[in-house]
Amino acid sequence: MRYFFLLLKRSRVLLYFLLLESIAFAWIINKRSYQRSQFLSATTEIKGNFQGLAAQTKAYLNLKEENEQLARENIRLRESLDESFIFQNFGADTINSRTYKQRYTYVDAQVISSSHFKVENYILINKGRLSGLEENMGVIGPSGVVGVISNVSKHFARVIPIINPNLRISAELAQDGYFGPLRWLGENYRESSIQDIPPYANVQTGDTVKTDGRSSFFPRGINIGLVKSTSLQADQNFLEVTVSLSTDFAKLRKVYVVKDLWINELDSLNMRP
Amino acid sequence: MNLIKSIFGLLTLLFLQIFIFNNFLFDGYLNPYIYIAFILFLPPRSSVFYTLSLAFLIGAIVDVFEGGYGVHTAASVFIAFLKPLIFRIFRAGKNELSESSDIKQLGLLRSLAYVFKGLFLHHFILFSIENFALDNLLPLLMRSLYSSIFSFTFVLLYQLWNYRR
């Protein structure tokens, strides 16, 4: 027993070191706890206030590029308006009135801080609970999908972008209709990959990849990117498709948060056993 | 007075780290992490328990603000543990200084080498823990090297500013 205590005394520095390291690693491993998300929404608020100021200056300097981007998007939207279509009715005797109901609305927001070179990237945006944002709402940018909101504070929200390995969304190959989970592998912020595409799918380089509407995060048909290459997965049974992402996370400024107006009704169906 | 001075120094470093270096200055491939300089500049004779606890605290603060979930804590505790070892390597051949040894007594070149080595190790450990794998070692090493060169520059500037006062 005496020797045991002697040993303990001699290696007390090592033991203390190991104790501190195990606390740190426990923290790393348990990063998805409820307490953390509570805590994050508090620190998000503090950080957001500080960075909002810097982001304003930055936004001013980038006004020109942003305007061009918005103008391009306006053109695209205008093209999809009813007035851009010609209505031709050849001999039909009934006219369909509108039976569409609005499902999605959008809230525009500015990025106030973001990272794209880390493994776990996050984005802070300048709208929060007061603007009606909630967790698990999708976020899209002018050129495509950005990510999903993970934490909301009063005035700010934290977005997990698709360049974070913790987020998986469902992606669809627009040509074939096959779909699979889009998962980022943590290397290049311009690329991501889709797993579990059947090997008989005819995937061509340059095919468009879009959201498929199976998740409640995004409407169907929002751009994700273009197919860059395909390869067999490690299990040899499915294809893995490398996608070059259409959103450039290095210069993302303006985003839109997608609000699904029918989410409660959809969730109530999903919840049912 | 000395205590107040070092607390002020620590707060300055943390402020620079959290609100400038973490965010808009070089938020990219180069991530300078300068807060570890505080641990490296602690007097070599100070107790290991004290160093370890301080490293834990500093790492935790940076983690909380960066959303790093313990990555910085783990890395800075590790550096605090290795610090006596690193210091001994650079002190080799200057054993006569063992009493009241200080970084300044290492001589300029050696102390620069010591700080750089410490920074590089810290970045490397940090990025490895962040990756949680060692499969792409070369990019990891390059990233640590570039980032630590960057941090080194800022630590030098910070020290210059500090000495001038």
Side-chain angles (χ1 to χ4, degrees):
Chain A
M1 206 59 193
R2 246 191 74 219
Y3 286 109
F4 177 70
F5 280 120
L6 203 69
L7 190 74
L8 215 69
K9 203 182 163 199
R10 228 187 249 160
S11 52
R12 62 193 196 282
V13 170
L14 185 69
L15 285 177
Y16 188 56
F17 165 68
L18 289 179
L19 173 76
L20 291 183
E21 281 292 3
S22 43
I23 294 173
F25 275 95
W27 190 6
I28 296 173
I29 289 155
N30 291 328
K31 58 187 169 188
R32 253 170 264 184
S33 69
Y34 170 74
Q35 282 83 355
R36 201 189 110 249
S37 89
Q38 289 301 302
F39 195 62
L40 269 177
S41 75
T43 49
T44 301
E45 187 77 22
I46 301 172
K47 246 183 107 172
N49 275 322
F50 261 95
Q51 292 175 355
L53 210 77
Q56 274 171 20
T57 332
K58 242 180 178 175
Y60 185 73
L61 295 175
N62 283 308
L63 269 183
K64 199 172 164 222
E65 193 183 340
E66 210 168 290
N67 277 339
E68 280 167 18
Q69 218 173 19
L70 290 177
R72 276 201 299 277
E73 192 181 15
N74 275 338
I75 292 168
R76 222 173 53 232
L77 292 177
R78 197 167 280 279
E79 279 166 354
S80 64
L81 281 179
D82 272 358
E83 62 195 37
S84 311
F85 295 92
I86 191 162
F87 183 75
Q88 293 185 319
N89 193 350
F90 296 111
D93 53 0
T94 52
I95 297 170
N96 274 341
S97 64
R98 288 200 142 201
T99 50
Y100 290 114
K101 279 186 178 160
Q102 181 134 27
R103 173 159 177 201
Y104 297 101
T105 59
Y106 301 87
V107 177
D108 74 304
Q110 296 272 1
V111 173
I112 55 177
S113 93
S114 67
S115 63
H116 52 278
F117 272 119
K118 295 180 184 167
V119 178
E120 304 208 338
N121 297 298
Y122 287 98
I123 298 176
L124 277 185
I125 58 176
N126 69 345
K127 294 267 170 83
R129 200 174 294 117
L130 290 183
S131 311
L133 305 199
E134 280 163 29
E135 275 148 40
N136 294 328
M137 284 181 172
V139 179
I140 58 181
S143 43
V145 167
V146 173
V148 173
I149 292 184
S150 67
N151 295 88
V152 195
S153 68
K154 230 171 165 185
H155 302 97
F156 302 99
R158 206 165 101 116
V159 180
I160 310 188
I162 47 177
I163 51 165
N164 182 322
N166 295 330
L167 179 70
R168 290 185 199 192
I169 61 170
S170 189
E172 184 183 45
L173 294 162
Q175 255 85 344
D176 291 7
Y178 292 106
F179 66 96
L182 180 81
R183 194 164 74 95
W184 191 57
L185 300 176
E187 282 150 21
N188 184 346
Y189 71 94
R190 300 306 312 264
E191 283 172 16
S192 184
S193 73
I194 309 176
Q195 274 86 24
D196 302 341
I197 297 293
Y200 47 81
N202 179 23
V203 187
Q204 303 285 334
T205 309
D207 281 359
T208 350
V209 179
K210 299 194 160 186
T211 56
D212 71 349
R214 275 181 186 81
S215 68
S216 54
F217 298 144
F218 305 106
R220 197 171 175 205
I222 305 281
N223 253 336
I224 294 177
L226 300 175
V227 172
K228 199 177 178 205
S229 60
T230 56
S231 57
L232 265 187
Q233 255 169 235
D235 60 14
Q236 302 288 316
N237 287 327
F238 290 97
L239 286 179
E240 182 178 337
V241 178
T242 308
V243 182
S244 62
L245 298 172
S246 58
T247 302
D248 185 352
F249 286 91
K251 57 170 192 182
L252 190 65
R253 303 265 171 259
K254 193 129 188 102
V255 293
Y256 303 93
V257 180
V258 183
K259 278 168 102 170
D260 189 346
L261 299 176
W262 294 46
I263 187 134
N264 288 336
E265 193 172 336
L266 284 166
D267 273 357
S268 70
L269 278 178
N270 275 338
M271 285 301 173
R272 221 152 271 175
Chain B
M1 196 55 218
N2 235 339
L3 185 72
I4 296 171
K5 220 173 167 182
S6 51
I7 287 175
F8 180 72
L10 176 60
L11 288 182
T12 321
L13 270 181
L14 282 177
F15 184 83
L16 287 175
Q17 181 66 56
I18 292 165
F19 293 112
I20 296 179
F21 291 108
N22 274 357
N23 299 310
F24 19 82
L25 211 49
F26 305 101
D27 194 18
Y29 198 71
L30 299 173
N31 284 75
Y33 289 113
I34 56 165
Y35 63 92
I36 198 66
F38 189 79
I39 301 292
L40 292 173
F41 282 126
L42 282 178
R45 297 247 111 200
S46 49
S47 131
V48 187
F49 283 99
Y50 171 68
T51 321
L52 283 175
S53 319
L54 204 60
F56 186 82
L57 191 73
I58 296 174
I61 293 173
V62 176
D63 266 331
V64 163
F65 278 95
E66 212 202 351
Y69 336 107
V71 179
H72 291 281
T73 318
S76 58
V77 169
F78 204 83
I79 287 297
F81 185 67
L82 286 183
K83 180 178 166 283
L85 190 77
I86 310 172
F87 192 75
R88 220 172 298 150
I89 293 172
F90 285 99
R91 212 189 49 187
K94 288 209 168 188
N95 278 333
E96 67 276 12
L97 295 176
S98 57
E99 286 303 312
S100 79
S101 58
D102 192 357
I103 294 163
K104 284 173 215 160
Q105 280 164 300
L106 275 178
L108 185 67
L109 273 182
R110 275 177 190 230
S111 57
L112 289 185
Y114 159 73
V115 171
F116 185 73
K117 179 99 174 185
L119 284 172
F120 176 75
L121 261 178
H122 177 249
H123 282 77
F124 181 66
I125 292 166
L126 187 75
F127 293 148
S128 324
I129 297 174
E130 203 177 46
N131 263 338
F132 235 84
L134 279 176
D135 41 354
N136 32 16
L137 196 61
L138 194 68
L140 209 68
L141 276 172
M142 292 320 276
R143 205 181 145 200
S144 322
L145 184 67
Y146 293 146
S147 295
S148 49
I149 291 174
F150 235 58
S151 315
F152 185 61
T153 318
F154 284 110
V155 168
L156 277 190
L157 286 176
Y158 176 76
Q159 279 307 99
L160 280 178
W161 177 67
N162 231 4
Y163 278 128
R164 246 194 43 199
R165 282 187 309 151

